[in-house]
Amino acid sequence: MDIKQVQTSNDISELARLGADIWQQHYVTIISHEQIAYMLDKFQSVQAITEQIEKQGYEYYFLIANGEKIGYIGAKQEEGKLFLSKCYIEKSHRGKGYASQAFAFLETLCQKRGLTKMWLTVNRHNKDSIAVYEKKGFQKVRTQIADIGNGYVMDDFIMEKELVDH
């Protein structure tokens, strides 16, 4: 698998399209179609991603297998930690080791930057993703309910992973 940083406006448009496809596949059993549409617009639209990259310090990376963009990760460095904001892989490509490769990439990134911890938020009802994160060494540290507007909330676990020097 190759990992390529999202840099151009064309990349951002592709990322928004890929995100919409994956979110429709994955979240439909967890949250309503209306909330998916709202969250895509608020967090994964071309405008939102551009703002995150240009003004908020986020980095996005495509996950590429056999020349095809099969998923992406989004992260932000903050206070000696890496916040893993997004880690999504298309349904047909899950279970093939791509998440493990993405996490190895992120751990190497953290090592190079001297970061000691990774953390993320995950919907408390997203059992498959929670299982993957736990398998990768993340632990639940607390719960968080965040009002994201329009009558919607994100009901999440916050999970962390301590990074050890290799």
Side-chain angles (χ1 to χ4, degrees):
M1 180 179 77
D2 294 316
I3 298 177
K4 175 187 173 275
Q5 188 164 7
V6 171
Q7 296 179 310
T8 67
S9 57
N10 282 349
D11 286 347
I12 292 171
S13 294
E14 263 188 275
L15 181 71
R17 181 202 50 78
L18 182 62
D21 290 348
I22 293 172
W23 280 44
Q24 297 293 346
Q25 295 168 2
H26 186 73
Y27 283 110
V28 68
T29 60
I30 300 171
I31 58 179
S32 70
H33 288 286
E34 294 80 14
Q35 185 168 350
I36 292 169
Y38 176 77
M39 290 178 71
L40 282 170
D41 184 56
K42 186 172 179 76
F43 301 115
Q44 290 288 213
S45 64
V46 168
Q47 181 180 348
I49 295 166
T50 301
E51 167 115 352
Q52 291 164 16
I53 292 171
E54 291 180 357
K55 297 185 179 154
Q56 298 172 21
Y58 283 85
E59 302 168 52
Y60 280 90
Y61 299 88
F62 285 119
L63 307 177
I64 304 168
N66 303 316
E68 178 189 355
K69 293 178 177 94
I70 58 148
Y72 63 98
I73 49 182
K76 178 182 180 180
Q77 184 174 322
E78 52 186 34
E79 300 168 11
K81 302 177 189 178
L82 187 73
F83 169 51
L84 177 57
S85 174
K86 317 276 185 305
C87 183
Y88 298 110
I89 297 173
E90 285 186 326
K91 194 173 199 166
S92 63
H93 294 283
R94 293 184 198 141
K96 298 180 180 179
Y98 297 127
S100 293
Q101 292 177 58
F103 279 102
F105 167 80
L106 291 168
E107 286 193 29
T108 299
L109 191 71
C110 288
Q111 247 184 335
K112 288 178 184 172
R113 296 179 181 182
L115 307 177
T116 58
K117 200 177 276 190
M118 273 196 290
W119 71 281
L120 56 86
T121 60
V122 59
N123 184 292
R124 290 199 294 176
H125 304 289
N126 193 346
K127 298 193 184 326
D128 291 342
S129 294
I130 291 167
V132 169
Y133 297 140
E134 287 177 335
K135 187 177 174 186
K136 301 295 172 220
F138 285 82
Q139 297 179 335
K140 296 173 193 159
V141 293
R142 64 183 180 279
T143 59
Q144 168 181 284
I145 297 177
D147 184 337
I148 58 170
N150 222 35
Y152 298 117
V153 297
M154 292 192 309
D155 185 8
D156 294 334
F157 285 122
I158 294 177
M159 300 181 77
E160 289 185 347
K161 178 178 182 175
E162 293 279 343
L163 301 173
V164 292
D165 290 332
H166 296 289

